[in-house]
Each structure stands twice: as structure tokens, then as C-alpha cells.
Amino acid sequence: MTDDASFAPLPAPDVRSLRIRRLETRDIELLMAIESVSFGRFFWSADIFHRELRNPGSRYYALTDDRESPDRLIGYNGLWKMRDEAHFTTVAIHPHLRRRSLGELMHCHLLGVSVKEGVRWITTEIRGANVGSQNLCYKYGFYAVGLRRRYYQDNEEDALVMVSPDLRSHAWQTLYNRRKAELRTAVGGAWPSGFSV
């Protein structure tokens, strides 16, 4: 497992230098350094990511800071799409760049992708102790529908199962647009290139 201390310090990103694009196989080596410090002993392997990128139902995205380098990966996330449903699978941000609304930016991007692709409902599982991610989902209208007991292998922690409202509903679209406007202000009044608006 990679130690968080081994990461080189990064300057705070300027949102205008950020880019969201489809994750590529060339990103996986850099991705694994973030993955291995984000998800305990049972993080996804490089082989799993290679398989995910070949899956026609998967959508994975990279967040890069082009001020650093076009290949400087600072975060990623993804989903599985099944007809009019989606399942958010993962999100991770470089350990030195957390708590800067970048996770929310990636979450909001996936919501925009989902809407454009005709998704009506989204599901996801979140660790019971991960209150920050739970609150982010609640902020965008998700609600808890149950627990998966001892879901996580590293510590047998429960997973909270969360579901979105109908993304086609007027009420959810109003909420989503309000949250996007708040997020845009929080990140400096602009969107990264490639952001799904």
C-alpha cells in the first residue's frame, strides 16, 4: 500500500486549469497510487480497472490539472449504466487535495453524464463511517434505503445503500441546478473543461 506521505505536495488547483475527460488505460498506473491510499487493504487492482475500461456499460472519468501536466491525475470516478439506471462505483481524490469541493465536482459531473444518457435512477453504496460522502449524496437528493451488512472486506463495515430520486422529475432538476450554482461559486465561478453541464 502506498503511504500518503509519499505523495509530492500539490498546489491548490485553479478550477480553470482542471479538465475532466474519459479515463484511459495510460492513467491506471497513476490512479493506483491514489486508489491504494483511499480504500484500505481491499482496493481495486490495476487488472480490475483495465476490465472496467473494456466494459461497454462503464463510464470512468479522470480529473487532471493541466497546469501541472496534462497527465497529472488528481482524481477519478465512475459508474455502471444499465438501461435507465446507473450505479456509482467509485470516486477518489488525491489525498493532498481533499476538502476542496473536487469530490463534489466529480459527483456533479457524473450526475450530468447520467442525465444526458437518459438515466432515471442512481444507486450507490457508501461506508457507514463515511459521513462526508453520505452527506454529499443527501445534498443532491439521494436517500438511504437499507444496509448491506459487513459489505467491506477490510473491516467488515456495513454499507449504506443510497438511491436518487427520479432524475427526470422537476423537483430533482430544480435541486440539481441549485446545487450546481452553489458549487460553481464554491470552486471559483467556473467549470473545468469537459465538465458535464
Side-chain angles (χ1 to χ4, degrees):
M1 182 180 299
T2 303
D3 184 350
D4 179 35
S6 69
F7 280 100
L10 290 180
D14 180 338
V15 70
R16 290 163 296 194
S17 72
L18 299 181
R19 180 164 57 114
I20 299 175
R21 59 168 172 78
R22 289 295 286 265
L23 193 72
E24 301 173 10
T25 55
R26 66 186 172 97
D27 298 312
I28 292 176
E29 183 178 350
L30 293 171
L31 176 154
M32 291 309 301
I34 299 172
E35 177 77 8
S36 63
V37 299
S38 298
F39 298 109
R41 291 189 303 121
F42 292 91
F43 58 87
W44 281 7
S45 68
D47 286 343
I48 290 174
F49 279 102
H50 281 287
R51 287 199 302 272
E52 286 294 302
L53 292 184
R54 292 193 299 269
N55 178 352
S58 295
R59 313 283 187 273
Y60 284 86
Y61 295 90
L63 177 65
T64 63
D65 187 346
D66 289 349
R67 180 183 53 180
E68 292 289 307
S69 158
D71 293 324
R72 180 64 186 203
L73 184 75
I74 62 172
Y76 55 93
N77 66 353
L79 61 79
W80 297 326
K81 182 178 181 292
M82 303 142 289
R83 297 183 181 169
D84 63 350
E85 297 181 29
H87 181 77
F88 285 6
T89 57
T90 192
V91 59
I93 300 296
H94 187 290
H96 292 174
L97 294 176
R98 293 176 185 161
R99 312 242 186 278
R100 299 175 190 267
S101 299
L102 299 180
E104 182 174 356
L105 194 65
M106 294 297 282
H107 179 80
C108 197
H109 172 74
L110 273 195
L111 289 171
V113 168
S114 299
V115 169
K116 286 181 178 177
E117 294 205 10
V119 168
R120 294 191 70 176
W121 293 282
I122 299 166
T123 61
T124 192
E125 291 104 5
I126 301 174
R127 284 182 184 267
N130 191 347
V131 176
S133 291
Q134 293 170 27
N135 286 339
L136 177 59
C137 284
Y138 286 131
K139 181 177 180 178
Y140 284 83
F142 286 61
Y143 52 95
V145 294
L147 284 178
R148 296 196 196 282
R149 299 286 182 188
R150 295 184 293 279
Y151 182 76
Y152 294 99
Q153 294 176 314
D154 59 334
N155 63 359
E156 296 192 341
E157 188 175 355
D158 296 340
L160 185 69
V161 181
M162 302 191 76
V163 177
S164 73
D166 185 343
L167 302 191
R168 298 181 187 176
S169 71
H170 176 72
W172 184 81
Q173 290 179 10
T174 300
L175 172 66
Y176 176 56
N177 287 328
R178 185 168 75 248
R179 295 300 187 218
K180 274 201 309 185
E182 294 166 356
L183 176 60
R184 185 169 184 167
T185 299
V187 298
W191 296 124
S193 65
F195 180 80
S196 183
V197 291

